[in-house]
Amino acid sequence: MDHAVGGTSHLSTKLVVNGHPQELRHDVRVTLLDALRDHLGVTSVKKGCDHGQCGACTVLVDGRRVVSCLSLTASLDGAEVVTAEGLGTPDELSDLQQAFVDRDGLQCGYCTPGQVCSAQAMLAEVAAGMPSHVTEPGALTDPDTAVELTDEEIRERMSGNLCRCGAYVNIVAAIRDTAARRAGTGAQP
Amino acid sequence: MIPPEFDYAAPGTVSEALALLAEHGDEAKVLAGGQSLLPVLRMRLNAPGIVIDISRIEEIKGITESGDAVRIGAGATYQDVLDSALVSEHLGLLHKALTEVADAQIRHRGTVCGALVHADPAGDVGAPVLALDARMVIQGPDGERTVDASDFFVDLFETAVGEDELLTAVEIPKHTGWGAHYEKFVRVSHQWAIIGIAAAVRVEGGTIAEAKVGLTNMGSTPLRATSVEQALVGKEATEDAVAEACAQVGEGTDPPSDLNGQADYRKHVAGVLTRRAVVAAAGG
C-alpha cells in the first residue's frame, strides 16, 4: 500500500510542480488546489467555486487537464503538475499566454490561469485527434481525420472554464490564433 | 467547506481493497476519480471514517475485449473510455453519451464505474449502460458475482453493490454496426441532464430491426423504455414513421419536478427528444 491506514491524518506526498520536485506533509483532506496555493505558494491557481464547476483551478496533471479542487493531494503521489507559471513567465510568455494578452482574452483575470492551462491541454487533445461532442461523426470512425478547430469546437472544448466577465469572444480568438500559428498557417496578430 | 476528518488508504490490489471494506463496513467510502465523492465530502453530505482510494489498483484499469463484450475496469476514466478504439467501434452509444459528461477536466479524472455506483439519476452513464444490456462485475468477500444492469440500479444513489463489495468492471455486449445517439437536454453544456435519451438501433434495409432506448433523469434510477423499443421494430427509420412510437416514452415514468422543469413537461419533452435520438441513431 502506498499509504498505511491508521494515524493518517497527516500524509507525505511527492509532486513535481513546474519541473521542481516537492515533498509536502499535509492533512489528508488537502486538495491539490490547497496544496499548490497554501503549501507551495503557487498562487496562479485560483479557487473559484471549489466544487469542480468553474474551472478556475485547472492545472495539468501528467499532461492532462484536471480541476485541482476535486483532486486529493494524497491520490497524486508522484504526479507531475504544471500550472500557468510553468507555461511561461511574465518576461517570457508562452505563445498562448501572449495571445490572451494580444486579444484581450480577459478582464478581471481571475479565471485566466485556468483558461490558459485548459486551452494548452485542449490544443494538445485536438492535435491528438480527440473528438468532442460537436465533432462531425466522420472523425470518430476515421481517427486519421484531423479535427477542424472551429469556434464551435473551441467553445465546446472550453466549456469547463467559466469567465464571469464574459471575455469569451476574445478567449476563443486567442485560442484560434494560437492554433493557427502553431499549425504554421500564419494567423493575424 | 472542509470535510470532517477521515483516514485514507490507497490499496494496491483488489484483495487489499476488499479487506479494508470488510474491516470498515459502512464507515468506508470508495474513491475512484473522486469527481462526485469530493463534492459530497465537501458539502458534508457524507462523513466516512475512511476513504479507500482505488485509483492505484493496476489490475482494474484496463478496457479489454471479453468474448462478445467490452470490459471496462473500475479504474478507467471517462477519457480512457473515450480514447478506446474498442469502445468507439463496438459501443457507439456509450461513446456518444460520454462526450457529453460534464467537461473535459472532469472526464480526465472521473470514472465510468464510479458514476455507475454513485447512481445519480441525472448522470449520463446509467441510461446507455442499461440500454446496452451491460453486466456488472462485483467482487466481495465471497468472490465475484455478476449482476445484470436491469437489476443493478435500486433507487436514488443506491445500487446492488453491498457495503463490503466493489464494482470492479462493467461488461457491455458489443453492438457493432448499430447506429447510436445520446440526446441530452441541458441549459448549459456541462450541466447535469435535465433529461437524456440514449438510443441505439439496428437498421436493415431502411427499417428498424432492433431498438434499445434508455432514459436519464426520468425517475429515481435510469430507465429502459421497453414498450417504445418494441413499437419501433419494423418501422421505417424516418421521423414520421417513428413519431407515434416515441411519443409514448413518458408513460409509466415518474420524473422529478424541479426548477428545470415539471414532471409533465419532462414527459412531453422526452417524447420529442426520443424521436430525435432514434432518427439520429438511424442515421437520419
Side-chain angles (χ1 to χ4, degrees):
Chain A
M1 284 187 207
D2 295 286
H3 295 289
V5 187
T8 53
S9 61
H10 275 77
L11 298 170
S12 181
T13 300
K14 285 181 181 168
L15 298 171
V16 177
V17 180
N18 296 327
H20 302 293
Q22 305 277 2
E23 182 161 3
L24 53 152
R25 278 188 62 72
H26 59 89
D27 185 287
V28 65
R29 297 165 289 179
V30 168
T31 59
L32 177 61
L33 169 58
D34 290 335
L36 288 168
R37 286 187 62 86
D38 300 343
H39 292 245
L40 300 173
V42 181
T43 51
S44 76
V45 188
K46 296 292 187 276
K47 184 176 283 193
C49 68
D50 216 12
H51 277 96
Q53 298 185 350
C54 75
C57 67
T58 300
V59 299
L60 310 183
V61 171
D62 295 329
R64 300 189 135 190
R65 49 178 164 160
V66 305
V67 278
S68 56
C69 72
L70 293 189
S71 303
L72 274 188
T73 306
S75 284
L76 298 173
D77 194 37
E80 196 164 313
V81 180
V82 174
T83 69
E85 287 95 336
L87 298 179
T89 62
D91 295 332
E92 207 168 333
L93 295 174
S94 76
D95 57 346
L96 178 64
Q97 289 168 327
Q98 185 63 51
F100 268 71
V101 175
D102 294 343
R103 282 291 197 169
D104 276 336
L106 57 136
Q107 209 176 111
C108 81
Y110 196 81
C111 72
T112 312
Q115 297 277 2
V116 169
C117 285
S118 191
Q120 177 76 19
M122 184 273 268
L123 290 170
E125 289 161 17
V126 170
M130 198 184 281
S132 82
H133 162 53
V134 299
T135 307
E136 286 300 314
L140 261 182
T141 47
D142 180 6
D144 294 332
T145 311
V147 176
E148 194 195 341
L149 196 60
T150 59
D151 285 5
E152 190 191 10
E153 282 277 3
I154 294 173
R155 287 174 180 278
E156 165 60 26
R157 289 168 186 269
M158 291 297 291
S159 67
N161 291 82
L162 302 184
C163 169
R164 295 293 77 173
C165 300
Y168 293 114
V169 172
N170 294 350
I171 291 169
V172 170
I175 295 170
R176 193 199 308 126
D177 285 358
T178 306
R181 203 173 289 118
R182 287 183 185 179
T185 55
Q188 65 275 47
Chain B
M1 203 191 301
I2 296 170
E5 278 198 61
F6 52 80
D7 277 337
Y8 172 83
T13 64
V14 169
S15 54
E16 283 176 7
L18 291 175
L20 287 163
L21 284 169
E23 185 185 340
H24 296 282
D26 66 357
E27 275 294 294
K29 283 298 273 185
V30 174
L31 180 146
Q35 304 302 281
S36 296
L37 182 60
L38 260 66
V40 163
L41 298 179
R42 200 76 63 67
M43 289 185 273
R44 299 202 172 202
L45 299 173
N46 197 310
I50 181 168
V51 167
I52 301 172
D53 181 353
I54 61 167
S55 65
R56 294 189 177 254
I57 305 180
E58 290 297 327
E59 63 191 290
I60 52 172
K61 283 192 178 173
I63 300 164
T64 52
E65 226 160 355
S66 172
D68 69 337
V70 176
R71 183 184 175 103
I72 298 168
T77 64
Y78 296 114
Q79 193 61 52
D80 292 337
V81 178
L82 283 166
D83 290 343
S84 160
L86 278 173
V87 172
S88 32
E89 187 182 350
H90 301 297
L91 303 176
L93 180 58
L94 182 67
H95 192 285
K96 287 260 183 193
L98 294 194
T99 62
E100 297 220 45
V101 171
D103 54 49
Q105 286 95 317
I106 301 294
R107 292 195 293 268
H108 280 121
R109 280 195 74 75
T111 63
V112 166
C113 287
L116 291 171
V117 178
H118 184 56
D120 188 322
D124 299 304
V125 188
V129 162
L130 182 64
L132 295 175
D133 296 302
R135 302 181 289 268
M136 311 300 191
V137 182
I138 299 171
Q139 288 194 35
D142 303 325
E144 185 175 296
R145 66 189 178 107
T146 304
V147 175
D148 288 342
S150 53
D151 296 323
F152 180 79
F153 299 102
V154 176
D155 204 345
L156 199 71
F157 302 116
E158 194 183 340
T159 71
V161 178
E163 275 168 11
D164 53 358
E165 292 183 315
L166 193 64
L167 177 70
T168 52
V170 52
E171 280 188 357
I172 310 178
K174 289 177 189 170
H175 285 66
T176 320
W178 286 56
H181 189 77
Y182 186 66
E183 186 76 27
K184 181 173 178 176
F185 184 56
V186 282
R187 292 184 198 282
V188 295
S189 80
H190 61 281
Q191 196 186 4
W192 293 95
I194 297 171
I195 59 173
I197 311 292
V201 294
R202 193 167 59 77
V203 179
E204 273 177 14
T207 302
I208 295 174
E210 268 185 282
K212 298 187 173 184
V213 179
L215 312 178
T216 301
N217 214 12
M218 287 295 286
S220 60
T221 67
L223 297 176
R224 185 85 182 258
T226 40
S227 61
V228 174
E229 293 176 0
Q230 285 158 11
L232 284 170
V233 173
K235 295 279 189 300
E236 244 184 280
T238 62
E239 187 145 343
D240 288 343
V242 304
E244 197 184 321
C246 294
Q248 53 168 301
V249 73
E251 282 173 25
T253 65
D254 186 19
S257 288
D258 56 31
L259 287 174
N260 284 314
Q262 299 300 303
D264 59 345
Y265 171 74
R266 277 187 163 89
K267 285 188 181 189
H268 169 75
V269 174
V272 177
L273 298 185
T274 303
R275 186 183 72 219
R276 286 186 199 162
V278 168
V279 172

